[in-house]
Amino acid sequence: MNTALSLVPAVSLSQPDLFCVTATTAPPPALTPYAQRTVRRAIRLLEQHLRQPGVAFTSSEATRDWLRLQLAPLEREVFMVLLLDNQHRLLTHEILFTGTINHTEVQPREVLKFALHHNAAAVVMAHNHPSGDCEASHADRVITERLVKALALIDIRILDHFVVGHREILSFAERGWL
């Protein structure tokens, strides 16, 4: 019996690899269909957890993880709004605006309409930077200020605005910009 073969761990063929492996020096491999399904399941589980009665959307880490899964892989910049009730429980969320690879036009009127329609008490905003850099631009800060003022007129608080890069997420609240 060949002892070298007995030391090699058995490979299970029932669970496919999460990533395609290639012998080239190309960009990082794309997610396989199995990995895509796994990510979708993880997003659904996080969403279900956040929607359970009594579970408040107050954990910064849970919010960051959820936003990273939702926004980091997107190739175009999008602007998402999460609407919360008085106890900061998630009412609903939606991508309200989709833009190009480096810009999204955000209309405060549409954000207000969305928040009023769902009777929100508070809002968390988020958008991604497909470039991977999570640093906020001057335009990001200006639109946030406009939205804070507009929503304050109807007694809706903005709790945070997150900018999602590939690996990092910037929080306006943590920077003291809100």
Side-chain angles (χ1 to χ4, degrees):
M1 178 176 177
N2 185 344
T3 57
L5 291 177
S6 64
L7 298 176
V8 175
V11 176
S12 170
L13 296 177
S14 63
Q15 183 178 11
D17 291 337
L18 288 178
F19 296 94
C20 301
V21 178
T22 60
T24 65
T25 58
L31 292 175
T32 64
Y34 174 78
Q36 292 172 5
R37 285 191 305 275
T38 302
V39 169
R40 282 192 300 270
R41 276 187 239 144
I43 291 170
R44 278 195 302 271
L45 285 172
L46 274 169
E47 202 168 64
Q48 286 171 358
H49 173 72
L50 293 172
R51 287 182 179 267
Q52 288 177 359
V55 175
F57 207 90
T58 57
S59 165
S60 178
E61 285 308 308
T63 306
R64 286 173 190 268
D65 290 343
W66 189 82
L67 289 170
R68 183 178 292 112
L69 287 170
Q70 292 282 332
L71 302 179
L74 300 178
E75 294 178 353
R76 292 179 183 256
E77 192 169 305
V78 300
F79 186 87
M80 176 182 277
V81 177
L82 292 80
L83 301 179
L84 309 172
D85 68 9
N86 279 324
Q87 286 76 42
H88 297 170
R89 290 180 300 226
L90 184 66
L91 297 170
T92 190
H93 65 87
E94 188 169 321
I95 292 175
L96 291 182
F97 307 100
T98 301
T100 63
I101 60 170
N102 63 355
H103 178 74
T104 300
E105 188 68 34
V106 176
Q107 299 296 323
R109 174 187 176 97
E110 296 302 315
V111 176
L112 273 95
K113 217 165 73 171
F114 181 60
L116 283 172
H117 177 75
H118 291 282
N119 201 28
V123 170
V124 173
M125 303 178 303
H127 77 280
N128 65 322
H129 282 176
S131 67
D133 178 21
C134 69
E135 198 55 46
S137 69
H138 176 70
D140 294 340
R141 293 187 65 179
V142 168
I143 192 61
T144 302
E145 289 172 16
R146 287 182 64 201
L147 286 166
V148 166
K149 289 176 184 174
L151 288 165
L153 292 172
I154 54 173
D155 294 324
I156 297 176
R157 291 168 295 139
I158 294 183
L159 301 179
D160 210 338
H161 181 171
F162 292 99
V163 181
V164 179
H166 290 299
R167 299 201 188 278
E168 305 216 6
I169 300 177
L170 176 138
S171 163
F172 277 51
E174 288 174 4
R175 292 266 178 108
W177 296 342
L178 289 179

